[in-house]
Amino acid sequence: MAKLLLAHADHPHPRVRYTSLHALGQMANDQAPHFQDAWHGTVMPMLLQKMDDPIDRVAAMAMSAFVSFGEELENALMIQYASGFMNKFVGRLQTSKHRMVQEESITSIAVVAGVIEKDFAQYYDGIMPLLKQLIMNAKGEKESRLRGKAFECMSLLGLAVGKEKFLPDAKEAVGEMLKTPLEADDLQREYIKEASERICKCLKGDFAPFLPHLLPGLFKALKLEVDDAAAKPGADDDDDEFITVTTGEGKLVKVRTSKFEELQQAVQTLATYCTTMEGAFFDYVPQTAEALLPLLSATDDVSMLCDEARSTAFQTWASLIKCARTGAKDRSQPPTLAGELLRTFLQRICAAMQQDTDPDSLRDAADGIAECLKGVGPGCLNSQEVMQLVQQMFKF
């Protein structure tokens, strides 16, 4: 099969070339890593050549096939090919005005960085200015995917080269992300969410200066507001479906179903910030806990929609407790806040469990309690509180 597809990569008709490259990319996904190990010596030079195809869509497909093939290529093999391919990607990025070629060039660069990791440092200084320039210029309505991929690539380069090299550029990257309106299209917003999480993982505690700008948008996404039910012009029928939710304060609201995906993403991002930064997140623990609190005992009439977000919220609350304990220790303070968070969680969750009959949600709640107890550390609860908790758990 591989021989047949390779034979058609140079076919006179561009649609045949395009389809053969598409099929090679699919084979790379389906047969990894055996296909890469056996055929890299033939496939990689061919892909490099086809990236100069006179038809831009074919050249872009060659890069797409490279992404599929390269992601599963061994580190040592990618290092052998990296120089030639990086020169090609940079050249195409600088000279091509075709959006698909630009997008696939950026994605391909990110793949190389992800595979060779620290060895990518030699290419970093040549690539990063191009990405920053692209982000500054790609402001058109049809360029949101291109801009999103540039953010994605910058964050992946940061993970590859490490905090010391990436920190100055990270500040510029996050600054541009913050200029993107909150009502940006879903595609670009998703790229920015994932890029911010990668940058956080790279910078760890040094990510703290960005939190005052990023957290308000996440907190807004956590709110189950009545105005979520307002019709949006041009919305699809699926987006016009609503469910009734009882918030943690007992407030009954109607929420658009698409809101739950946004809510879940926001909780997951907060979880990443907490688990990555630990004590460095200490100053933002109280306001984050306040934003998460309504989710701890929220209920809905289609439980599957809310349970995933609530389960993640339980784990995030446990991470907040650990942040509070670690941050207090770093500041030579007593772990008062961690204890308060634990008792608030136990009060809310135990009350909710008494009204719950679903085994899965009861399990999630129990897992959340266990993680909170691990996060708070020893000595927070006295013997009487421990006995009360144990007795409560055996009632379910």
Side-chain angles (χ1 to χ4, degrees):
M1 179 64 74
K3 290 181 179 178
L4 179 64
L5 295 174
L6 289 167
H8 286 80
D10 289 318
H11 194 278
H13 200 292
R15 289 185 181 178
V16 177
R17 299 198 300 274
Y18 179 94
T19 304
S20 67
L21 290 167
H22 184 274
L24 282 167
Q26 187 62 52
M27 181 175 288
N29 287 328
D30 296 342
Q31 303 297 326
H34 308 293
F35 183 42
Q36 284 82 347
D37 293 342
W39 286 88
H40 67 86
T42 303
V43 173
M44 291 290 276
M46 182 275 295
L47 292 177
L48 185 63
Q49 179 188 5
K50 300 315 295 179
M51 290 174 190
D52 286 323
D53 195 282
I55 305 300
D56 285 329
R57 288 179 63 85
V58 177
M61 181 50 67
M63 295 179 187
S64 178
F66 168 83
V67 170
S68 299
F69 195 89
E71 283 179 330
E72 299 297 331
L73 201 62
E74 290 186 5
N75 174 280
L77 292 175
M78 181 64 85
I79 291 174
Q80 295 177 21
Y81 293 110
S83 179
F85 277 92
M86 287 303 301
N87 289 334
K88 182 68 66 181
F89 300 143
V90 171
R92 296 309 320 253
L93 201 55
Q94 290 175 323
T95 60
S96 178
K97 301 299 181 183
H98 193 274
R99 193 166 65 250
M100 288 180 61
V101 172
Q102 291 179 320
E103 290 176 1
E104 294 299 339
S105 295
I106 292 171
T107 305
S108 298
I109 290 169
V111 166
V112 176
V115 173
I116 69 175
E117 297 179 332
K118 294 181 179 180
D119 289 300
F120 190 83
Q122 59 185 305
Y123 306 108
Y124 182 89
D125 290 333
I127 297 298
M128 189 57 70
L130 291 176
L131 293 175
K132 290 192 287 188
Q133 182 181 6
L134 193 150
I135 287 172
M136 294 294 292
N137 296 330
K139 301 292 179 69
E141 183 179 347
K142 295 182 179 180
E143 294 179 312
S144 60
R145 181 181 176 86
L146 178 62
R147 183 176 167 87
K149 279 187 170 289
F151 284 132
E152 175 187 54
C153 188
M154 290 180 76
S155 64
L156 287 167
L157 298 193
L159 285 176
V161 302
K163 178 173 70 174
E164 306 305 325
K165 182 76 172 175
F166 183 54
L167 183 57
D169 294 313
K171 294 178 180 178
E172 294 186 48
V174 176
E176 286 299 319
M177 289 180 193
L178 294 173
K179 293 178 184 178
T180 303
L182 290 176
E183 62 272 14
D185 61 280
D186 292 341
L187 179 63
Q188 189 171 180
R189 187 168 60 238
E190 178 67 15
Y191 276 118
I192 289 174
K193 167 193 166 293
E194 293 180 358
S196 72
E197 291 183 24
R198 291 191 200 96
I199 293 173
C200 179
K201 290 177 181 178
C202 177
L203 301 185
K204 300 188 184 309
D206 289 324
F207 190 75
F210 305 124
L211 292 176
H213 308 287
L214 292 169
L215 291 179
L218 294 173
F219 295 161
K220 182 179 178 181
L222 295 180
K223 293 182 179 179
L224 301 176
E225 300 287 1
V226 148
D227 59 9
D228 285 327
K232 295 182 179 179
D236 294 334
D237 291 341
D238 289 344
D239 291 333
D240 291 332
E241 296 179 3
F242 306 99
I243 64 173
T244 301
V245 177
T246 305
T247 68
E249 293 87 6
K251 182 181 178 182
L252 197 66
V253 297
K254 291 183 69 175
V255 182
R256 192 178 300 275
T257 54
S258 58
K259 172 69 177 179
F260 286 99
E261 182 178 352
E262 181 184 355
L263 187 150
Q264 169 68 15
Q265 291 174 351
V267 176
Q268 185 57 58
T269 300
L270 288 172
T272 299
Y273 291 171
C274 293
T275 55
T276 302
M277 299 178 65
E278 293 191 346
F281 197 82
F282 179 81
D283 293 335
Y284 306 95
V285 169
Q287 63 203 83
T288 304
E290 183 181 355
L292 278 175
L293 190 60
L295 290 181
L296 296 187
S297 53
T299 60
D300 61 79
D301 56 6
V302 186
S303 60
M304 182 175 63
L305 289 173
C306 203
D307 280 352
E308 186 176 0
R310 189 162 57 242
S311 176
T312 307
F314 293 166
Q315 302 302 314
T316 305
W317 194 278
S319 297
L320 283 177
I321 291 175
K322 187 175 182 180
C323 290
R325 177 174 61 84
T326 305
K329 183 179 180 181
D330 293 341
R331 293 162 176 77
S332 301
Q333 298 177 8
T336 306
L337 179 58
E340 292 174 355
L341 290 172
L342 175 64
R343 287 177 172 84
T344 298
F345 186 86
L346 292 176
Q347 179 183 3
R348 286 289 185 111
I349 298 308
C350 288
M353 291 176 75
Q354 290 176 359
Q355 308 298 322
D356 198 347
T357 58
D358 180 69
D360 290 334
S361 60
L362 286 171
R363 180 200 61 206
D364 290 339
D367 288 343
I369 291 174
E371 291 303 316
C372 287
L373 291 171
K374 292 176 185 177
V376 79
C380 181
L381 298 179
N382 58 43
S383 58
Q384 183 179 356
E385 289 174 317
V386 171
M387 184 59 65
Q388 288 176 346
L389 179 59
V390 171
Q391 291 173 347
Q392 186 72 43
M393 290 298 102
F394 276 111
K395 293 178 181 179
F396 303 123

